[in-house]
Amino acid sequence: MLDKIGIAKRIAKEIKDGYYVNLGIGIPTLVANYIPQGMNVVLQSENGLLGMGPFPFEGEEDPDLINAGKQTITTVPGSAFFDSAMSFGMIRSRKVDLTILGAMEVSESGDIANWKIPGKMVKGMGGAMDLVASAKNIIVAMQHVNKAGESKLLSKCDLPLTGVNCVKKIVTELAVLDVTPQGFRLLERAPGVSVEEIKKATQGRLIVEGEIPEMIID
Amino acid sequence: MNKTVKNAEEAIKDIRDNATIMLGGFGLCGIPENCITALVKKGVRGLTCISNNAGVDDFGIGLMLQTRQVKKMISSYVGENAEFERQLLSGELEVELIPQGTLATRCLAAGYGMPAIFTPAGVGTEVAIGKESRKFMVDGQEKEFLMEMAFDADFALVKAWKGDPHGNLIFRETARNFNPMMAMAGRVTIAEVEELVPAGTLDPDHIHTPGIYVHRIFQGTNYEKRIEQRTVRKK
């Protein structure tokens, strides 16, 4: 089974040289730490920055320089600032190659829910609805089951949707799966996790064909 | 042109009860601190606020929530504010949550003189309820778009780094965010700047918001520029 860092490391392997990538809040933010050295990747922060760098050194925080999670950050050489309309312009016109975000639920047809729990949590969608509606490629980082042990990979989402038919790939603590027209296709198992365990944790339709290899993380 | 006013109090003096106002900023970054303080002091009520976020409990728009001056918030993300959540759940505060790109582009549309935009954000979700939609061909595939209307705001309150008496504005780093398109969108736009410089000082090639969009400008004071999430690494 993977921890959060394991999930981030596995997702980092999906990033290719030359990609512009938008990272959501939570596990997706950690992915930045595991992009292979020497790879040319530019991180987009939807509050208005291309070329996001690591957190600043203590004492060098700049209140005018934050990421979409409102954290203090730095820029890397070659970065650019822009306004919020242009930021979502580049997202809508599919200039961003890969979007990585978290989810509360994903359905077998690629619907995603991650912004609202009726009666409990009302935080808002932020930029998530814009991102999922337009992204060329969306990878979701999430837990396979909730705290009560119930599957979050469903035949149909129960929670209010963020977007429909948009998720392409999911990485959980148990598995890597593609979302296909036929349902979730199991691609890889987390170290020490059996296909049976993944079947039990997946409520939506799961396609298992042939030998399922164990993930290679490091 | 000289659009300079003395201070925030003078700049906002004609904002009345039940006005619709836009406030620039993302989180606490690039918010019009002086104007918010002046609005709290003035005590205008029943405001509809269009702003990406709603501040935190004791800073930003949160200050106007504490004093119950806000009737309605139109935002994309409001997760950092306990008083906001309380007023929302108790029904004291009306809230319209809309996608962030939709929020930005509805401001842009107003500033560009276009009545509406089409966006795919929110298709198939509760955001689409009651909205007109249309299908367009995109990359050889039919795709559905929602029609979203340009905002109509009485006032836009924006914060810039530098400005001049013409109202020309330059923003700094990610404090730019929603400020330029809100500056374009207000019927009356009020800009507060950290540094008000004489006309002719700013390089015309570096202006982000041309002064034609700005009606009043003043140099703000005592900027706190509070950091919401201080994240650092060790040397």
Side-chain angles (χ1 to χ4, degrees):
Chain A
M1 199 183 292
L2 299 179
D3 57 8
K4 285 179 180 177
I5 287 171
I7 294 174
K9 282 182 175 172
R10 177 59 191 81
I11 290 177
K13 287 181 178 294
E14 301 291 324
I15 295 174
K16 296 191 173 70
D17 197 46
Y19 265 18
Y20 288 94
V21 182
N22 180 288
L23 302 175
I25 297 164
I27 297 175
T29 305
L30 298 174
V31 174
N33 301 331
Y34 304 103
I35 296 168
Q37 291 272 322
M39 200 181 259
N40 278 308
V41 172
V42 176
L43 300 178
Q44 198 245 19
S45 191
E46 67 263 25
N47 56 317
L49 169 63
L50 276 166
M52 178 167 58
F55 295 151
F57 289 119
E58 226 168 324
E60 292 175 8
E61 309 92 302
D62 179 348
D64 288 337
L65 184 50
I66 63 169
N67 65 17
K70 284 104 182 176
Q71 297 170 312
T72 46
I73 48 158
T74 56
T75 56
V76 295
S79 63
F81 295 114
F82 37 85
D83 63 53
S84 300
M86 187 180 281
S87 178
F88 286 93
M90 62 186 73
I91 288 165
R92 216 178 286 117
S93 60
R94 299 160 77 90
K95 308 297 181 198
V96 176
D97 298 290
L98 176 62
T99 291
I100 302 167
L101 75 174
M104 298 170 186
E105 294 176 350
V106 173
S107 82
E108 63 189 30
S109 58
D111 297 352
I112 176 171
N114 72 351
W115 73 283
K116 184 179 186 183
I117 304 172
K120 272 192 190 161
M121 184 208 81
V122 225
K123 289 188 188 296
M125 64 292 279
M129 281 194 184
D130 307 273
L131 282 159
V132 301
S134 297
K136 277 193 267 192
N137 191 5
I138 301 175
I139 302 178
V140 165
M142 66 187 294
Q143 300 297 318
H144 215 105
V145 294
N146 65 19
K147 280 175 190 142
E150 296 157 347
S151 180
K152 294 163 67 165
L153 277 64
L154 307 169
S155 49
K156 198 170 171 295
C157 292
D158 292 323
L159 294 170
L161 294 180
T162 307
V164 293
N165 194 12
C166 54
V167 176
K168 303 283 191 287
K169 190 176 279 259
I170 304 166
V171 179
T172 76
E173 76 279 21
L174 302 180
V176 180
L177 311 100
D178 264 352
V179 179
T180 72
Q182 291 76 39
F184 300 113
R185 177 192 290 273
L186 182 58
L187 298 179
E188 297 171 22
R189 298 172 290 115
V193 174
S194 70
V195 170
E196 273 316 301
E197 284 172 273
I198 296 164
K199 277 185 181 167
K200 250 174 66 182
T202 309
Q203 187 265 324
R205 192 187 307 165
L206 183 70
I207 301 156
V208 184
E209 282 173 355
E211 277 298 301
I212 305 298
E214 203 166 89
M215 291 178 210
I216 299 160
I217 301 297
D218 289 299
Chain B
M1 297 267 180
N2 188 0
K3 299 172 181 175
T4 311
V5 294
K6 203 168 69 201
N7 54 28
E9 283 74 28
E10 192 186 326
I12 63 133
K13 65 178 189 301
D14 54 349
I15 298 185
R16 310 214 189 283
D17 288 356
N18 304 309
T20 296
I21 59 175
M22 290 176 163
L23 297 104
F26 182 93
L28 303 178
C29 181
I31 60 172
E33 291 183 25
N34 281 226
C35 282
I36 291 170
T37 305
L39 283 170
V40 170
K41 197 169 150 201
K42 184 173 159 78
V44 281
R45 302 181 73 85
L47 298 173
T48 295
C49 294
I50 301 167
S51 176
N52 189 56
N53 312 89
V56 295
D57 277 328
D58 61 345
F59 199 58
I61 294 175
L63 295 170
M64 298 199 292
L65 291 165
Q66 296 281 2
T67 48
R68 314 279 171 90
Q69 289 172 269
V70 182
K71 179 179 70 182
K72 182 177 181 181
M73 280 298 314
I74 300 173
S75 303
S76 86
Y77 191 83
V78 293
E80 339 283 352
N81 192 319
E83 174 62 15
F84 180 97
E85 198 155 11
R86 192 198 64 70
Q87 289 185 22
L88 173 61
L89 294 172
S90 70
E92 290 164 63
L93 181 68
E94 203 184 321
V95 177
E96 189 182 334
L97 291 168
I98 61 177
Q100 196 175 136
T102 302
L103 178 62
T105 316
R106 287 175 68 187
C107 295
L108 194 78
Y112 274 51
M114 300 185 295
I117 55 137
F118 286 92
T119 176
V123 168
T125 76
E126 61 185 61
V127 165
I129 295 170
K131 284 179 187 155
E132 251 180 77
S133 76
R134 241 187 105 161
K135 287 183 175 148
F136 293 94
M137 292 301 283
V138 178
D139 296 337
Q141 274 189 324
E142 202 172 60
K143 185 166 171 162
E144 192 176 344
F145 289 75
L146 297 181
M147 187 168 79
E148 299 276 7
M149 308 309 288
F151 281 122
D152 182 6
D154 301 315
F155 293 89
L157 312 179
V158 303
K159 154 81 197 316
W161 180 34
K162 290 180 180 174
D164 70 16
H166 288 279
N168 295 312
L169 303 177
I170 295 176
F171 303 93
R172 184 171 179 270
E173 298 178 339
T174 56
R176 191 184 317 185
N177 56 61
F178 286 85
N179 284 299
M181 76 246 7
M182 285 186 173
M184 287 164 44
R187 282 173 188 273
V188 174
T189 290
I190 298 165
E192 54 174 272
V193 298
E194 288 178 55
E195 209 182 319
L196 186 63
V197 300
T201 313
L202 301 174
D203 183 340
D205 266 333
H206 292 172
I207 305 292
H208 294 130
T209 297
I212 194 168
Y213 285 113
V214 176
H215 304 88
R216 299 168 197 167
I217 188 165
F218 67 94
Q219 182 165 309
T221 53
N222 299 320
Y223 281 105
E224 181 180 336
K225 291 200 184 185
R226 194 185 292 187
I227 290 173
E228 205 164 326
Q229 306 277 347
R230 188 179 298 274
T231 44
V232 294
R233 67 191 149 129
K234 289 262 182 280
K235 267 189 187 165

